[in-house]
Amino acid sequence: PPREPRVAGTVPLARWKCAVLKVGSTLIAPGGQRLSTRHLLSIARFIAEARAEDRDVVLVSSGAVAAGRALLGSLEATALPAKQALAALGQPRMFDAWARLLDVPCAQVLLAFDDLQNRRRFVNAKNTLRELLRAGVLPIINENDSVAVDELRLGDNDNLAAHVAVLVEADLLVILSDIDGLYDADPRKVPTATRIARVAAIDEAVFALAGGAGSTVGTGGMRTKLEAAAKATARGIATVIAHGGKADALEALGRGECPGTLFEPTATPASAKEHWMRHALASQGQLHVDAGALRALKERGASLLPAGVRGVEGSFRAGDAVEVRVEGEARAFAKGIAQYDASELRRVLGKPSAELPALLGYEGPETVIHRDDLVLL
């Protein structure tokens, strides 16, 4: 049975075996000046105690750019190449700071968005992390900021942590920042704001509570934390947002209590492939379909045939992901992997599958998107 919380304002956590712990820049480099152990000691103690209980922990750490900026303050970090240079300079120092505090075998793993959307690299990353955990090694993960142009521009280790939680099949994702959790208003501006202890489902009303970035050190905000929680809970992973600078909050986590906001996992988690397609696979174009195709895909679980396609946007290739929407509608209702290039699809719009060989000059698939490669949004 669940334990009763022993600290006011906490809710009980289900027993977990593997957790991904994301630590934000404001905790690693308070004020953006330099790396500091002010908050990291308590976090390292939490990790050590969890490992002593034979639990696996994977650390996703921000702070590389802040560490580089502290070492080379003369470099103006507004342009992207400068940020990449600071990340390259600060990454080993951030890793060393954690390795010294944790005093266990640590492995540095750098990931970029390409590693997540390419299925083969996704599986390779998954196997590497699993092997590290089996060997008793603590992975310390960061975005490959020095080369990942798009990801550095987004600066989003929150969502990276959610992807890592899926990779290692974690039970729990913990996002530590300089705020106690999700509030019903901005606590920095509204003194009467109330922390929300538990969120059963992340919908548009919950996202509406998110403000902008709250720090000049990191580049994420509450919005990216909610996006990460949505990704993780959809895969059945409970998610916690808590204040990593408060020792009592980490002690509560160690006792199996959530001192911040607990986002409950969905009762029917998505499959691994469905989750990957929905959250990691970037769309390269769009298909516009008619109402008959909409019904076939949503109600009968059918594949998408060329006869139902009315328009093509983009210059994607066969094997790329595309969004599917009803012509005239702005929002996509599905995403799938196209079996033809965009140029080929434009030649067979609205045609029966039997006519494809004559139109294309070769015998190809009968479907534009096979049902096994399609997910409803």
Side-chain angles (χ1 to χ4, degrees):
R3 291 173 290 178
E4 291 296 321
R6 293 183 288 170
V7 178
T10 66
V11 294
L13 291 174
R15 177 75 179 178
W16 56 272
K17 175 63 177 173
C18 177
V20 171
L21 193 67
K22 187 268 178 177
V23 182
S25 295
T26 53
L27 301 175
I28 297 172
Q33 299 303 312
R34 59 182 177 83
L35 293 182
S36 171
T37 60
R38 184 192 313 170
H39 304 308
L40 304 194
L41 287 170
S42 297
I43 298 172
R45 186 179 303 113
F46 168 80
I47 294 173
E49 291 173 354
R51 285 173 57 91
E53 296 178 356
D54 198 29
R55 301 185 190 191
D56 291 327
V57 177
V58 177
L59 179 62
V60 176
S61 178
S62 300
V65 173
R69 185 185 295 118
L71 289 168
L72 201 64
S74 61
L75 181 62
E76 183 62 37
T78 54
L80 184 60
K83 291 182 179 180
Q84 292 175 318
L86 290 178
L89 179 65
Q91 179 64 38
R93 287 155 180 80
M94 182 269 286
F95 176 83
D96 287 344
W98 280 116
R100 286 196 302 270
L101 288 175
L102 294 168
D103 195 28
V104 297
C106 297
Q108 180 176 351
V109 180
L110 299 178
L111 295 174
F113 187 66
D114 284 347
D115 299 315
L116 301 173
Q117 71 167 348
N118 182 288
R119 187 63 180 173
R120 179 176 296 178
R121 290 160 69 177
F122 180 94
V123 173
N124 287 342
K126 180 175 186 175
N127 292 338
T128 297
L129 291 173
R130 283 183 169 181
E131 189 60 32
L132 288 172
L133 293 175
R134 276 195 292 267
V137 177
L138 194 152
I140 301 178
I141 299 175
N142 191 16
E143 289 183 284
N144 196 359
D145 286 343
S146 60
V147 296
V149 175
D150 291 337
E151 281 307 282
L152 185 59
R153 186 173 296 156
L154 295 172
D156 193 356
N157 270 341
D158 295 321
N159 276 289
L160 176 63
H163 286 297
V164 170
V166 173
L167 278 174
V168 300
E169 299 182 0
D171 310 297
L172 179 67
L173 169 62
V174 179
I175 300 175
L176 297 179
S177 183
D178 59 350
I179 191 168
D180 292 307
L182 178 66
Y183 283 76
D184 59 3
D186 188 343
R188 296 180 175 94
K189 299 177 181 178
V190 183
T192 58
T194 301
R195 175 173 57 86
I196 301 171
R198 190 194 302 264
V199 175
I202 302 174
D203 53 20
E204 289 303 318
V206 173
F207 274 111
L209 298 174
S215 165
T216 58
V217 181
T219 46
M222 184 55 69
R223 176 81 188 187
T224 62
K225 291 170 178 54
L226 293 180
E227 290 172 353
K231 288 179 175 63
T233 54
R235 191 70 179 97
I237 303 169
T239 302
V240 168
I241 297 176
H243 201 309
K246 295 182 177 180
D248 58 347
L250 292 163
E251 291 169 1
L253 284 170
R255 290 193 299 269
E257 301 163 6
C258 173
T261 300
L262 171 64
F263 298 86
E264 298 178 347
T266 181
T268 55
S271 69
K273 183 177 181 180
E274 179 183 352
H275 191 277
W276 171 74
M277 291 180 60
R278 184 189 298 267
H279 296 295
L281 195 58
S283 296
Q284 305 300 320
Q286 288 192 344
L287 302 181
H288 301 187
V289 302
D290 58 24
L294 170 68
R295 289 192 298 272
L297 297 181
K298 295 190 72 171
E299 298 175 11
R300 302 201 303 272
S303 298
L304 177 61
L305 302 177
V309 180
R310 291 293 179 263
V312 177
E313 289 186 26
S315 57
F316 53 87
R317 305 294 300 273
D320 287 342
V322 293
E323 292 182 338
V324 183
R325 64 179 182 176
V326 177
E327 50 184 347
E329 295 289 335
R331 189 168 183 175
F333 70 89
K335 182 197 287 187
I337 299 175
Q339 301 206 65
Y340 288 99
D341 295 352
S343 58
E344 294 173 321
L345 285 179
R346 291 187 175 98
R347 293 160 57 187
V348 298
L349 290 179
K351 303 297 183 181
S353 298
E355 295 182 13
L356 265 60
L359 292 169
L360 298 174
Y362 69 93
E363 190 81 33
E366 293 183 354
T367 61
V368 174
I369 301 176
H370 192 277
R371 186 65 184 92
D372 293 343
D373 295 326
L374 184 139
V375 58
L376 297 177
L377 302 178

